[in-house]
Amino acid sequence: MPGFLRVLKFGAENFWRNIWLSVATTLIMVVTLFIITTIVILNLLANVAVDQVQKKVDLTVYFKTTAQEDRILEVRSQVQNLNNVETVRFVSKDDALAQFKKAHQDDELILKSLEELDENPLEASLVVKAIRTEDYEGISDFLSSDRFSDVIGKVDFQENKDVIDRLVRIANTIRKGGLAVGGAFVVIAILVVFNTVRLAIYTHKEEIGIMKLVGATNWFIRGPFLLEGVFYGIIGAAITLAMLYPILNAANPKITAFFDGQSFDMVQFFSQNLLWIAGGMVALGILLGIISSSIAVGRYLRK
Amino acid sequence: MIEVSGVSKDYAKQKVVALDDISFTVNDGEFVTIVGQSGAGKSTLVRLLIAEEKPDKGRIVVNNWDVGLIKKKHIPMFRRQIGVVFQDFKLLEKKTAAENVSFAMEVCGRSRREIREQVPKILDIVNLSKRADLFPHQLSGGEKQRVAIARALIHKPKLLVADEPTGNLDSLNAWEIVQLLLKINELGTTVVMVSHNREIVNAIKRRVITMDEGKIVRNQDSGKYIL
């Protein structure tokens, strides 16, 4: 045990002895971790957005006003039997009228003109929810086929599809762009830590020579430099975490507003998953640090 | 203690044969001086003795370790059984005499208590107790070399290899260092000293191995520096 503490001490000394270099290196680590975290958050938000829109998506089948009820029920049962359909809700002509009246209850003119008509002008409809968004196309094709053309007036899906496609595209762009930017910063961080550790090895050449001469074990010689890399990771992760909370707090109202107040609270999400997020960030920091210092140690302390 | 048989070593890059089929034996408790001109192969021999390099041909056994076959991970264990001092002392300028010695013990994983107890004792052996808290730049050449010898003694080595230990010293200091090495030898440590210093080699009347162009040209029990 005195061994480990001593290696820890030497590692900390490496860190302090060249404090400005260490600060700069830690900052690069912070920037990298921050960017990666931001990308993860953006990804998360994009997924939430896609999810929420997808939940709102449905496919509506409007029956012709002339359609007979038994035909309508037959179509309903056929749609229900499709295995990619989650739910089917039937909206009768009366229901549709009630809904329409409710939606326009403040509009005298429309209500009056409705009363002028002898019969209910609205169509009965089926509201279909698919299990997956990709399935709507198939369901739509199925319902648009000739065998239902006598009863079905219109299959309404296209408009929603565009919105979803656009959202999925945005989410994909964020993911791809994020991967590229994140990857670039990972490489930068590894190079910077590598260079710092290399410099530390260089300035400790004499000590290293003496250590080898008197029979210090490899762990004693390499450990401090590996730990130096780990320090950059841990300190970088700690600073990033400390920065993240105020920023999230400031951004949270805007995020909530963006989602129409639909029960997505970023700060709450982070508080609930703090352990995972902090653990993941520290692990990532340590990983970056240890990869870089291992490369430096492997290259410059081989003999 | 040391068994060298048919050892050759050359540096391909420089196209020089550093050691050419040399053989000799050093028994436990001996004090052996290796002499020769620059480029005779003395430094190469030292590097082989401390397992910094491996022989191209032949076998070299030091303290029961076959240097040619020694595994990388065993080198620290091997080094803890031999002490080494060099002409340029190799001290850390930012550490005091005592810290230089304790640093070597620290990096070998010795306990703090052990270090606290041993360092003053070792400094006493090399007669530096009063100079323990001075930095290398405050010490004379002879004193620096004594710190280096103290550091070499921390593992109570069975073999001490001294590569030109008096090379940077005036004759008075050089003589003191040699006296110290003789004292360490009397306490039971085998000493192999590489030297240029004719007066000293002749005065101590110990075994002398003379090298020239990578070969051993003379091996005398109570030898003289003759070239």
Side-chain angles (χ1 to χ4, degrees), chain A residues 59-99:
Chain A
L59 177 146
T60 309
V61 185
Y62 295 98
F63 292 100
K64 290 180 175 164
T65 41
T66 54
Q68 297 298 311
E69 184 152 346
D70 54 340
R71 259 310 257 159
I72 291 175
L73 290 177
E74 193 191 324
V75 173
R76 181 168 90 160
S77 71
Q78 283 207 32
V79 175
Q80 262 168 344
N81 284 338
L82 293 175
N83 50 15
N84 47 12
V85 166
E86 196 177 1
T87 59
V88 179
R89 188 164 55 88
F90 176 63
V91 181
S92 68
K93 285 169 71 88
D94 296 341
D95 293 340
L97 186 65
Q99 269 176 25

Side-chain angles (χ1 to χ4, degrees), chain B residues 138-204:
Chain B
Q138 298 169 305
L139 300 172
S140 73
E143 286 169 332
K144 283 189 221 179
Q145 193 58 290
R146 280 189 271 158
V147 176
I149 292 172
R151 186 179 62 197
L153 293 178
I154 56 167
H155 298 308
K156 300 190 176 69
K158 291 175 186 156
L159 171 66
L160 183 66
V161 179
D163 190 3
E164 304 268 13
T166 61
N168 277 351
L169 306 178
D170 59 50
S171 55
L172 193 67
N173 273 314
W175 189 242
E176 272 179 24
I177 292 300
V178 172
Q179 291 295 330
L180 178 58
L181 292 176
L182 286 167
K183 178 175 147 193
I184 289 164
N185 178 239
E186 270 164 32
L187 294 173
T189 302
T190 310
V191 176
V192 172
M193 177 175 79
V194 171
S195 183
H196 255 121
N197 195 316
R198 183 185 299 266
E199 286 170 50
I200 285 173
V201 176
N202 289 344
I204 59 175

Side-chain angles (χ1 to χ4, degrees), chain A residues 2-3 5-6 9-10 13 17 206-208 210-218 220 302-303, chain B residues 50 72 76 79-80 84 86 90-92 103-112 115 151 155:
Chain A
L5 289 178
R6 227 167 262 162
K9 194 188 99 186
F10 289 148
E13 274 174 12
R17 215 170 273 176
E206 265 191 307
E207 268 116 320
I208 292 165
I210 290 165
M211 286 163 104
K212 287 180 177 170
L213 202 66
V214 298
T217 54
N218 248 333
F220 244 103
R302 194 169 294 161
K303 229 184 136 183
Chain B
I50 64 175
K72 231 178 194 174
R79 296 256 169 90
R80 287 178 196 194
V84 196
F86 293 95
K90 295 196 192 297
L91 298 178
L92 297 170
F103 173 76
M105 294 180 80
E106 274 177 26
V107 299
C108 291
R110 301 288 196 84
S111 76
R112 219 180 283 179
I115 294 171
R151 186 179 62 197
H155 298 308

Side-chain angles (χ1 to χ4, degrees), chain A residues 95-115 121-122:
Chain A
D95 293 340
L97 186 65
Q99 269 176 25
F100 185 84
K101 278 184 175 165
K102 201 182 170 198
H104 299 277
Q105 59 186 338
D106 298 326
D107 198 330
E108 291 281 325
L109 187 70
I110 289 182
L111 291 178
K112 272 207 172 125
S113 42
L114 254 181
E115 273 162 28
L122 295 172

Side-chain angles (χ1 to χ4, degrees), chain A residues 53 57-58 62 154-166:
Chain A
V53 174
V57 168
D58 49 34
Y62 295 98
K154 190 171 131 205
V155 177
D156 188 4
F157 168 62
Q158 206 52 39
E159 286 164 42
N160 287 331
K161 186 170 177 270
D162 289 344
V163 176
I164 291 173
D165 279 356
R166 204 174 313 147

